Amino acid sequence: MTAALSVSGAPLTSLRERLGRGLFALVAGPEHQASRSRIHDLPGTRWFGEDRPIRRVHGDASMFIGGLSALLLQSLHPRAMAAVAAHSGYRGDPWGRLQRTSTFLAVTTYGRAGDAQRAVERVRAVHGQVRGTTSSGEPYHASDPHLLEWVHIAEVYSFLFAHQLYGARPLDALECDGYVLDTARVAEALGVVRPPRDLDGLTARLTAYRPELRATPEAREAARFLLLHPPLPWIARPAYAVLAANAVAALPHWARTPLGLPLLPRVERTFVRLGGHGLTRSIRWAMAPPR
C-alpha cells in the first residue's frame, strides 16, 4: 500500500517541482536557488523579525496579483510613468525588471540588514541618474521624494489589498497597520519623507495624490502591454489572463476609467475572484518548499 502511494504520487511531485522551479526562475532569475539561500539562510540580523506582517504579505502568492495591480496604479502619475517609459526598459526586458524588483523586495524583507542597506543604496544610485521631462514638458527626477512616495503608497496599497483578498492568512486590523509601518522602514531608506505608518494614513495619502493622477498615452500603452501582450508562451496565457483580470479587479474604481479598464462588479465578485483564489492556491502549492 505504501509503495503504491509513493509511486502514484511521484508524477504529481515531479510536476510540482517543475512548476515551482519555473515560477521561481521567472520572478527571481536563473540564479534563484543561490539567491534564495543567500537571502534566507545566512545568519545575521534582519530589518524585520519573523513575526512581522511584512514577511507574511511579501511571502504569499497573492503578490503575483498585487504586483501587477501596483504597476497599473503607479502608471497613473504622469511624471512617474514618464520615468518608467524612458528608463526602465519594461518592454524590452520585462522579466529582468520583474526579477530586479522581486529580488529587492526579498532582500529588504528577509535578508540581512547589511544586504538590505546595500540593495537600497544601489536603487538610490540608479534613481539619481533618472531624470528628464514628460511629453507635456514637466520635469521629473526619480529621486524626488514626492514621486518616491507615490510609487511607495501605490505599491503598499496594492500588495495589501491583494493579500486581504487572496492571501493564505489575511491580516487583522492591527496587523494591517503593522504592515504599513514595516514598509515605511524601507520607504524612508529609499528617500521618502514621512511615509504613512498605518492604514488610515495610507488611505489619506492615496486620496491626496488623486488630483495629480491621469492616464497619459504612455500609461495606456503600458496597461495594454501588461494586460494583453505579455511575453509569454501560449500555454501560459490562460493563467496569465486570470492573473490580469484579478489585478484589474484589485484596482480602486477611480483608477480604471482613465486607463480604459472595465468595471464589472458582479462578474468580479464571482467568476474573477474565484479564478484568483484558484490561481493563488495553485501558485502556493507549486512554490511551497519541500517537506
Side-chain angles (χ1 to χ4, degrees), residues 8 22-23 25 50 55 63 70 75 81 89 98-99 161 172 197-198 218 221 227 234 252 268 284-285:
S8 64
L23 284 169
E50 294 185 3
R55 283 179 164 247
M63 286 287 284
S75 75
M81 185 63 233
L98 170 64
Q99 290 157 11
F161 190 87
D172 61 27
R197 297 178 179 276
D198 56 31
E218 293 91 345
E221 181 183 351
L227 298 174
W234 285 105
E268 291 170 7
R284 204 172 288 124
W285 171 78

Side-chain angles (χ1 to χ4, degrees), residues 67-78 80-86 88-92 94 97 214-231 240 244 247-248 251 258-261:
L68 181 54
S69 188
L71 292 176
L72 295 169
L73 184 56
Q74 288 167 345
S75 75
L76 286 175
H77 198 292
M81 185 63 233
V84 169
S88 77
Y90 76 90
R91 292 184 67 91
R97 184 167 187 255
R214 66 181 186 275
T216 60
E218 293 91 345
R220 288 189 288 270
E221 181 183 351
R224 284 193 297 270
F225 176 77
L226 291 170
L227 298 174
L228 302 177
H229 306 292
Y240 189 86
V248 170
L251 286 169
L259 291 171
L261 300 175

Side-chain angles (χ1 to χ4, degrees), residues 3-26:
L5 285 174
S6 63
V7 171
S8 64
L12 189 61
T13 301
S14 177
L15 173 64
R16 178 177 181 169
E17 290 175 351
R18 289 199 304 272
L19 285 173
R21 285 195 299 268
L23 284 169
F24 269 120
L26 186 66

Side-chain angles (χ1 to χ4, degrees), residues 248-287:
V248 170
L251 286 169
H253 290 177
W254 49 261
R256 302 204 207 168
T257 301
L259 291 171
L261 300 175
L263 177 59
L264 305 169
R266 292 184 180 179
V267 174
E268 291 170 7
R269 286 194 298 267
T270 53
F271 298 108
V272 172
R273 193 167 297 181
L274 283 172
H277 282 294
L279 179 66
T280 49
R281 285 172 185 150
S282 299
I283 293 172
R284 204 172 288 124
W285 171 78
M287 299 185 75

Side-chain angles (χ1 to χ4, degrees), residues 11-283:
L12 189 61
T13 301
S14 177
L15 173 64
R16 178 177 181 169
E17 290 175 351
R18 289 199 304 272
L19 285 173
R21 285 195 299 268
L23 284 169
F24 269 120
L26 186 66
V27 301
E31 303 298 323
H32 61 93
Q33 293 283 16
S35 179
R36 187 178 188 182
S37 178
R38 183 172 61 253
I39 291 170
H40 292 274
D41 298 339
L42 292 179
T45 58
R46 266 72 177 165
W47 280 359
F48 307 104
E50 294 185 3
D51 61 334
R52 293 306 303 167
I54 192 172
R55 283 179 164 247
R56 194 195 307 178
V57 174
H58 291 179
D60 191 85
S62 60
M63 286 287 284
F64 281 79
I65 293 172
L68 181 54
S69 188
L71 292 176
L72 295 169
L73 184 56
Q74 288 167 345
S75 75
L76 286 175
H77 198 292
R79 287 186 287 145
M81 185 63 233
V84 169
H87 299 276
S88 77
Y90 76 90
R91 292 184 67 91
D93 184 25
W95 301 122
R97 184 167 187 255
L98 170 64
Q99 290 157 11
R100 290 188 293 273
T101 301
S102 66
T103 299
F104 176 81
L105 286 169
V107 171
T108 52
T109 303
Y110 307 103
R112 297 180 298 177
D115 292 336
Q117 184 60 43
R118 282 187 287 274
V120 165
E121 290 167 0
R122 285 193 294 271
V123 170
R124 294 192 70 154
V126 171
H127 284 172
Q129 301 173 32
V130 175
R131 62 175 71 231
T133 57
T134 69
S135 57
S136 61
E138 298 175 85
Y140 64 79
H141 186 195
S143 293
D144 178 358
H146 189 70
L147 286 186
L148 287 172
E149 184 182 21
W150 166 248
V151 172
H152 168 69
I153 63 174
E155 188 174 84
V156 172
Y157 169 86
S158 301
F159 291 171
L160 182 56
F161 190 87
H163 184 83
Q164 295 304 93
L165 280 180
Y166 304 108
R169 292 187 299 135
L171 308 180
D172 61 27
L174 187 61
E175 290 168 331
C176 287
D177 286 342
Y179 174 67
V180 178
L181 179 63
D182 288 345
T183 61
R185 166 73 174 86
V186 182
E188 286 183 323
L190 285 169
V192 179
V193 179
R194 294 187 297 278
R197 297 178 179 276
D198 56 31
L199 189 55
D200 286 344
L202 176 65
T203 303
R205 292 305 297 150
L206 275 171
T207 301
Y209 271 87
R210 284 186 61 181
E212 302 176 33
L213 307 180
R214 66 181 186 275
T216 60
E218 293 91 345
R220 288 189 288 270
E221 181 183 351
R224 284 193 297 270
F225 176 77
L226 291 170
L227 298 174
L228 302 177
H229 306 292
L232 285 169
W234 285 105
I235 194 171
R237 293 293 179 92
Y240 189 86
V242 175
L243 173 67
N246 279 275
V248 170
L251 286 169
H253 290 177
W254 49 261
R256 302 204 207 168
T257 301
L259 291 171
L261 300 175
L263 177 59
L264 305 169
R266 292 184 180 179
V267 174
E268 291 170 7
R269 286 194 298 267
T270 53
F271 298 108
V272 172
R273 193 167 297 181
L274 283 172
H277 282 294
L279 179 66
T280 49
R281 285 172 185 150
S282 299
I283 293 172

